[in-house]
Amino acid sequence: MKIAVVAPSCALKRKAAEAVKALVRARGDCEMAIHPQCFLSEGHFAGSDPQRLAALREVMADPDIDAVWFARGGYGSNRIAEAAMVGLPDAARSKTYMGYSDAGFLLGGLYKAGIDVAWGPMPQDIARLGGEAAVTRALDWLVRRDAAALEPRLEAPAAAFNLTVLSALLGTVLEPDLAGHDLLIEDVGEHHYRIDRTMFHIAASANVRGVARLRLGRVGDIPQNDPDFGRDELAIVEEWCARFGIPFGGRADIGHDVLNRVVPFTTRF
Amino acid sequence: MKIAVVAPSCALKRKAAEAVKALVRARGDCEMAIHPQCFLSEGHFAGSDPQRLAALREVMADPDIDAVWFARGGYGSNRIAEAAMVGLPDAARSKTYMGYSDAGFLLGGLYKAGIDVAWGPMPQDIARLGGEAAVTRALDWLVRRDAAALEPRLEAPAAAFNLTVLSALLGTVLEPDLAGHDLLIEDVGEHHYRIDRTMFHIAASANVRGVARLRLGRVGDIPQNDPDFGRDELAIVEEWCARFGIPFGGRADIGHDVLNRVVPFTTRF
């Protein structure tokens, strides 16, 4: 099992990279190659659009690589995702791709193209307090498809997205068919009024209305609403599901935290 | 000319209401009725959804009212906009509606229903430094269609939206046909990376790609991006227009400020 790490959004920290390398060495059950592009910096991003795209396409096309692991989120994978899907080589189709948060733009586009992807922890998560467990969980699934790493109530087919990312990819070429899916959402750093507005937007989508059920992961670091919004994220999501006839399936064990579980976008759990 | 003020989003401040009343009295060319609903409060909103909806539908249905002026933005008009459009009485169709920011959800839905709407300053704007000029501009246009109040480079048909609001109404029942429009956008309080992500989303829309040209108003109160995003809002909008083949028409004289101009969504300037 050979895993390539690239950063289509923001740069990976050197310290996090070293910690993940040490963890991989200690496991001894996989090889990991962190692409030098992960440490580039251009403004907000891990290098320019052409640099991030070139690294991504390089590892996608490499037949020796079994899995592509996105280094971290932040913002920016949407800027190169469409170009990454053009003329996909066969080697790109036979590997697994993992990440979450902003990487959802790529997961969406790749899944739409019929490729195996999974929502799951990323290398930069090792910098969180207790982050080794998250990274270990991701590797347990990547290397040996350990079912203990999975979100515990998944019903195939499933998909997971950051709510704000899902909202931004609706109507774009990256939007996959979610019909009949167990759709898990989560978010971080958004006011309650923004969560409400974003739920209004996604619940209006015919694609989202076609899911089997929608489940809510954790919504972290919610800034204080002034005045208080008057309902929490659970009430917000339940209300929009009820308004648009989307079956609400309760909570989900995903989020921007070290407990974040793996959600493969396939029918094979 | 009788103008009704209602608050489909957040509550109007008493002090702002008094100041606008005094300004209207001094003009002597119109009557203004501020609906008591404007001062209700339920959490984030100027009263509950049913309360805000009832006030809006009441003034829409009143044949003695010539114009409905939205008191202020904030958030929440999307929660009642679809219900507001159901079974519109004739009296609702023969008046003008004005507002901006969050009121864009209503402007979009009403315009889609074939009703005259206009982007323009709102009563709460009087609380801004120099806000009397903004409110006077709005009234000059509402009462006597003063061309000096208009955004100076409009080409019919035109429409104006807060970028984030436009993004959230795409794909919903409130989305109007923007084909061939002079589309003006602006925003406030959004990081550069969010503006970039939102532009990615709206530029992917076939509806938005059908505009005659897209113009950028002011983007105010942009929080510091860390690290610096590396390009400003003008470069961001120009880039996404270029990527998706949308003619970029330069800057527009609208924004969340006292210089904000009027943009009627009609072919009659």
Side-chain angles (χ1 to χ4, degrees):
Chain A
M1 163 66 62
K2 187 167 179 185
I3 301 165
V5 177
V6 289
S9 311
C10 296
L12 181 62
K13 303 286 186 191
R14 293 271 179 195
K15 196 174 163 191
E18 292 309 315
V20 176
K21 274 196 232 176
L23 192 148
V24 164
R25 271 195 304 271
R27 293 176 65 98
D29 61 357
C30 59
E31 285 177 72
M32 184 182 66
I34 298 181
H35 197 290
Q37 173 268 322
C38 291
F39 307 109
L40 295 180
S41 174
E42 187 185 277
H44 189 97
F45 309 106
S48 65
D49 288 354
Q51 287 171 322
R52 303 198 315 285
L53 177 63
L56 175 57
R57 288 190 62 97
E58 178 192 326
V59 298
M60 288 171 79
D62 187 341
D64 293 336
I65 289 169
D66 303 297
V68 175
W69 199 13
F70 301 123
R72 71 176 301 179
Y75 171 71
S77 75
N78 60 318
R79 297 179 54 87
I80 60 169
E82 183 174 359
M85 308 301 158
V86 175
L88 283 178
D90 282 348
R93 299 190 166 273
S94 55
K95 44 179 64 77
T96 305
Y97 298 79
M98 180 184 272
Y100 73 104
S101 191
D102 187 72
F105 289 110
L106 287 164
L107 300 184
L110 290 162
Y111 183 51
K112 184 179 178 181
I115 294 171
D116 284 353
V117 303
W119 167 283
M122 298 183 288
Q124 183 64 42
D125 281 314
I126 206 160
R128 298 182 192 271
L129 184 66
E132 286 206 359
V135 168
T136 296
R137 191 178 310 120
L139 288 167
D140 286 349
W141 189 80
L142 277 178
V143 175
R144 48 188 176 83
R145 295 294 189 266
D146 183 349
L150 297 177
E151 202 281 337
R153 295 204 294 126
L154 291 178
E155 290 181 7
F161 286 98
N162 173 272
L163 174 62
T164 301
V165 166
L166 176 60
S167 174
L169 70 70
L170 292 181
T172 75
V173 296
L174 306 174
E175 180 183 351
D177 182 1
L178 298 171
H181 281 60
D182 191 7
L183 176 62
L184 284 61
I185 58 169
E186 59 85 61
D187 217 324
V188 65
E190 302 288 345
H191 290 81
H192 278 130
Y193 86 88
R194 286 180 183 263
I195 295 166
D196 198 71
R197 188 170 58 194
T198 308
M199 279 303 303
F200 159 79
H201 183 234
I202 72 149
S205 151
N207 189 10
V208 172
R209 279 185 277 126
V211 302
R213 62 180 185 176
L214 186 145
R215 288 198 287 140
L216 176 63
R218 289 175 290 282
V219 180
D221 296 335
I222 301 176
Q224 181 61 36
N225 213 82
D226 181 26
D228 187 74
F229 192 68
R231 62 199 90 186
D232 66 8
E233 59 273 25
L234 179 61
I236 290 168
V237 171
E238 283 182 320
E239 180 187 352
W240 286 108
C241 282
R243 280 204 191 196
F244 284 90
I246 299 168
F248 179 65
R251 301 305 300 248
D253 195 7
I254 62 168
H256 272 67
D257 52 47
V258 298
L259 299 176
N260 188 25
R261 299 287 198 109
V262 174
V263 181
F265 292 26
T266 74
T267 54
R268 306 187 304 275
F269 299 142
Chain B
M1 161 68 60
K2 186 165 178 187
I3 302 165
V5 177
V6 289
S9 312
C10 296
L12 180 62
K13 302 288 186 190
R14 294 270 179 195
K15 196 174 163 190
E18 292 309 315
V20 175
K21 274 197 231 174
L23 192 148
V24 164
R25 272 195 304 271
R27 292 176 66 98
D29 61 356
C30 59
E31 285 177 71
M32 184 181 67
I34 298 182
H35 197 289
Q37 172 270 322
C38 290
F39 307 110
L40 295 179
S41 173
E42 187 184 278
H44 189 96
F45 308 107
S48 66
D49 288 354
Q51 287 172 321
R52 302 197 316 286
L53 178 62
L56 175 57
R57 287 190 62 99
E58 177 192 326
V59 298
M60 288 172 78
D62 186 340
D64 292 336
I65 288 170
D66 303 297
V68 175
W69 199 12
F70 300 124
R72 72 177 301 179
Y75 171 70
S77 74
N78 60 319
R79 296 179 55 87
I80 59 169
E82 183 174 359
M85 308 300 158
V86 175
L88 283 178
D90 283 348
R93 299 189 167 274
S94 56
K95 46 179 65 76
T96 305
Y97 299 80
M98 181 184 272
Y100 71 105
S101 191
D102 186 73
F105 289 111
L106 287 164
L107 300 185
L110 289 163
Y111 184 51
K112 184 180 179 182
I115 293 172
D116 283 353
V117 302
W119 167 285
M122 296 182 289
Q124 184 64 43
D125 280 314
I126 206 160
R128 298 182 191 272
L129 184 66
E132 285 207 0
V135 168
T136 296
R137 192 180 309 120
L139 288 167
D140 286 349
W141 189 80
L142 277 178
V143 176
R144 48 187 176 86
R145 295 294 189 267
D146 183 349
L150 297 177
E151 203 281 338
R153 294 203 295 124
L154 292 178
E155 289 181 8
F161 286 99
N162 173 273
L163 174 62
T164 301
V165 167
L166 176 61
S167 175
L169 69 72
L170 292 180
T172 74
V173 296
L174 306 174
E175 179 183 351
D177 182 1
L178 298 171
H181 281 59
D182 190 7
L183 176 62
L184 284 60
I185 58 169
E186 60 84 60
D187 218 324
V188 66
E190 302 288 343
H191 290 82
H192 278 129
Y193 85 88
R194 287 180 182 262
I195 297 166
D196 199 71
R197 188 170 58 194
T198 309
M199 278 303 302
F200 159 79
H201 182 234
I202 72 148
S205 151
N207 189 9
V208 173
R209 279 186 278 125
V211 302
R213 62 181 186 177
L214 187 146
R215 289 198 286 140
L216 176 63
R218 288 174 291 280
V219 180
D221 296 336
I222 302 175
Q224 182 60 37
N225 213 82
D226 181 26
D228 186 75
F229 192 69
R231 66 197 87 188
D232 66 10
E233 60 272 25
L234 179 61
I236 289 168
V237 171
E238 283 183 319
E239 181 187 353
W240 286 109
C241 282
R243 279 203 192 195
F244 283 91
I246 299 168
F248 178 65
R251 301 306 299 251
D253 195 7
I254 62 168
H256 272 67
D257 53 45
V258 298
L259 299 176
N260 188 25
R261 298 287 198 109
V262 175
V263 181
F265 291 25
T266 74
T267 54
R268 304 187 304 275
F269 297 143

